[in-house]
Amino acid sequence: MESFGHVIAGEEVASIDGATFESVDPWTRRPWATVALGSAEDAARAVRAARSAFDEGPWPRMSHEERGAILHRLADLLERHADELAAADTADMGKPIAQTRGHDVPRAARNFRFFADHARLTAAERFPMPSGHHAYTEYDPAGVVAAIAPWNFPLMMASWKVAPALAWGNTVVLKPAEQSPASATILARLALEAGLPPGVLNVVHGYGPDSAGQALTESPLVDRITFTGESATGRLISKAAAAHLTPVSLELGGKGANIVFADADLGQAVDWSIKAVFGNSGQVCLAGSRLYVQREVYDEFLAAFTAAAEALVIGDPRDPATQLGPLSSGEHFAKVAGYLDIATAAGARLHTGGVGDGWIVRPTVVVGAGQRDRITQEEIFGPVVVVLPFDEEADAVAAANDTRYGLNAMVFTRDLARAHRVARALRVGTVWTNCFFVRDLRAPFGGAKDSGVGREGGTYSREFFTEPKAVIMELS
Ligand code: NAD
């Protein structure tokens, strides 16, 4: 068994009361690591460390060049330790090593490099005023950031929060999800090795409600809360944050619509649609879990899509050939499997898929569901896609918008005007046209409706992780 502690004030430590929990490998279904189980007291200790590193330490007072050099060193170390980090995320939550090693860890390193450079290169604005004054903006660090992360992209989501927070001079307490704690401790160890001063990046492990997570959201010493997770949790965090008017950034759930028009390149649409809903076993907020296909090509598309789904390699996530591993936990497996029963009880049919061995759900294609059925409306967070036919463009747009979520959508068409028209009509944070998951880190990322509050990425992260200050000067 490996062992992972909290990292507080530059030391890897046990919980104050000595409590621990075990992280279970979803493929073997056996514990593989012992992790410190933080309480509200451990969270408070981590917040105090971050507070004093912010109020008295060098980090917020360094230049962007100095901070950037350390963050680039951290990115170097993430790349050097890529095998260890990928193995940790794979052991914690069962994601195939091809995805953790091939995507998540490199992207985490890229997040640190991007925000280090972005903070250094985006100059503050200057506003020459006709009245004989001049005004400029300062972007002061906001203070102590509580970063609460989900389990589906453990290291990658943590870095998406920690990198901009650090680049803009804040100090951080990161609480990873209890299902995927290991890579956060490794990240904090490497951050110290890279030269981050003690207390600048703290990690506290534990659960959410009545535990370390909730304590972070209720602390008067925290200046920003950045959270990624379920919409229901986002509501609780918003409420807790309101007590101290702490600004929150919420990246929440999704039920992505994927619209395939008859004029699309169907081969391309099939490839992307498979990636969009079966990557990471569908445990992706952006999953294209509602697939709307224009009726003229419905049968042809469904046949090709089903064949591609059935061809995915299912198995041990440590095997580099595996494309689809187990779900992240027994509890989550039960939830996803339960949705298959909900679908069939409502009269829909599993065209292919169903439950497999262990905590595997095979790539599952549901047909014959209704637009208002639970299977079409609720986030399942598994390898389950509902395929529905549509006739007119307006019908597809109306169906796509008919959900409480608004994170993202995909549109497949060769008609340029239609692509723009549909993108404009969709109430979501991101529209991918003839592709999926391609990101420019300067672009806004976040969700409309129940999918979130605020945007992150580039200057959007800067707005959240700083206190922009206007300075106005009389020139005469
Ligand atoms: P979750 O809401 O159960 O937990 C997320 C984190 O919040 C965990 O660290 C958990 O311990 C903590 N937490 C739970 N209750 C809390 C509370 N009351 N106070 C403080 N912290 C609390 O979500 P999850 O199951 O880990 O992740 C899956 C969800 O995340 C899905 O809904 C998915 O769509 C969403 N997600 C969204 C994005 C995005 O960018 N919009 C990205 C990835 C995942």
Side-chain angles (χ1 to χ4, degrees):
M1 293 272 277
E2 293 198 36
S3 169
F4 298 93
H6 312 296
V7 178
I8 299 177
E11 304 284 338
E12 189 163 341
V13 294
S15 294
I16 294 165
D17 63 5
T20 59
F21 68 105
E22 288 177 335
S23 179
V24 173
D25 177 330
W27 175 248
T28 63
R29 287 174 281 151
R30 285 200 295 270
W32 78 279
T34 306
V35 185
L37 175 58
S39 62
E41 288 70 37
D42 295 292
R45 186 177 166 200
V47 169
R48 282 195 302 275
R51 187 78 258 166
S52 82
F54 186 82
D55 292 343
E56 294 143 34
W59 188 253
R61 291 153 197 93
M62 283 182 184
S63 68
H64 286 302
E65 283 72 11
E66 290 170 305
R67 281 199 294 261
I70 294 173
L71 295 178
H72 273 285
R73 263 202 309 276
L74 175 54
D76 293 342
L77 287 171
L78 293 178
E79 284 160 358
R80 213 171 302 150
H81 289 257
D83 289 335
E84 181 192 355
L85 287 158
D89 278 355
T90 291
D92 265 344
M93 52 76 66
K95 184 185 298 193
I97 197 80
Q99 291 165 35
T100 48
R101 182 69 182 83
H103 171 266
D104 293 11
V105 179
R107 171 63 197 280
R110 190 175 147 221
N111 285 342
F112 280 100
R113 294 197 194 288
F114 169 79
F115 282 109
D117 294 343
H118 188 265
R120 182 171 54 84
L121 295 172
T122 52
E125 301 91 351
R126 191 173 68 84
F127 309 101
M129 296 167 68
S131 61
H133 299 71
H134 106 113
Y136 61 92
T137 328
E138 294 265 29
Y139 288 100
D140 295 343
V144 173
V145 172
I148 303 179
W151 49 261
N152 63 335
F153 288 83
L155 179 68
M156 203 278 260
M157 286 303 328
S159 67
W160 180 243
K161 300 175 175 312
V162 170
L166 294 181
W168 286 100
N170 300 286
T171 60
V172 176
V173 179
L174 166 65
K175 197 205 81 63
E178 54 273 28
Q179 297 88 344
S180 57
S183 59
T185 291
I186 304 174
L187 171 68
R189 291 172 187 160
L190 296 176
L192 291 168
E193 193 180 330
L196 216 69
V200 172
L201 172 59
N202 307 276
V203 170
V204 63
H205 295 292
Y207 302 118
D210 302 320
S211 177
Q214 186 176 329
L216 291 178
T217 65
E218 292 173 345
S219 171
L221 301 182
V222 165
D223 300 292
R224 292 288 185 279
I225 300 169
T226 167
F227 167 76
T228 299
E230 288 188 12
S231 301
T233 314
R235 280 198 177 81
L236 294 175
I237 288 178
S238 254
K239 219 181 260 178
H244 304 292
L245 297 176
T246 312
V248 292
S249 169
L250 304 175
E251 306 274 10
L252 307 176
K255 188 76 180 176
N258 182 358
I259 307 172
V260 179
F261 286 96
D263 66 7
D265 175 332
L266 288 192
Q268 180 196 46
V270 166
D271 286 351
W272 282 118
S273 303
I274 290 282
K275 290 192 180 86
V277 73
F278 297 131
N280 195 16
S281 291
Q283 301 167 126
V284 180
C285 52
L286 302 162
S289 51
R290 295 180 296 146
L291 190 38
Y292 296 103
V293 184
Q294 205 157 22
R295 204 175 299 274
E296 295 95 291
V297 295
Y298 179 85
D299 290 338
E300 183 188 347
F301 179 90
L302 184 62
F305 181 78
T306 303
E310 289 172 349
L312 290 172
V313 179
I314 303 172
D316 181 346
R318 285 179 189 79
D319 181 339
T322 295
Q323 293 170 296
L324 190 130
L327 296 179
S328 61
S329 67
E331 192 187 353
H332 190 55
F333 167 77
K335 176 189 156 186
V336 175
Y339 269 105
L340 304 187
D341 298 334
I342 289 169
T344 48
R349 202 162 52 76
L350 307 190
H351 186 66
T352 186
V355 295
D357 297 331
W359 294 340
I360 299 260
V361 170
R362 289 183 285 126
T364 300
V365 178
V366 178
V367 295
Q371 170 65 25
R372 299 301 307 169
D373 287 356
R374 286 184 62 190
I375 193 93
T376 314
Q377 290 291 328
E378 296 178 13
E379 184 182 46
I380 299 170
F381 223 54
V384 181
V385 62
V386 180
V387 189
L388 294 163
F390 71 89
D391 292 303
E392 303 296 332
E393 179 183 311
D395 303 333
V397 168
N401 283 335
D402 173 28
T403 159
R404 68 189 183 95
Y405 293 111
L407 190 57
N408 64 300
M410 282 66 76
V411 181
F412 291 90
T413 179
R414 284 186 170 110
D415 180 334
L416 188 61
R418 166 150 52 209
H420 287 297
R421 225 169 26 235
V422 172
R424 181 170 290 185
L426 290 167
R427 288 193 59 205
V428 293
T430 301
V431 178
W432 277 290
T433 304
N434 297 327
C435 62
F436 173 68
F437 215 74
V438 180
R439 294 270 290 115
D440 184 309
L441 303 185
R442 294 167 296 186
F445 182 83
K449 304 196 284 190
D450 280 10
S451 288
V453 175
R455 296 289 184 274
E456 293 184 357
T459 53
Y460 303 89
S461 295
R462 180 182 69 191
E463 297 301 317
F464 182 71
F465 289 113
T466 61
E467 287 289 357
K469 181 198 287 166
V471 181
I472 298 112
M473 204 168 191
E474 208 272 341
L475 290 179
S476 63

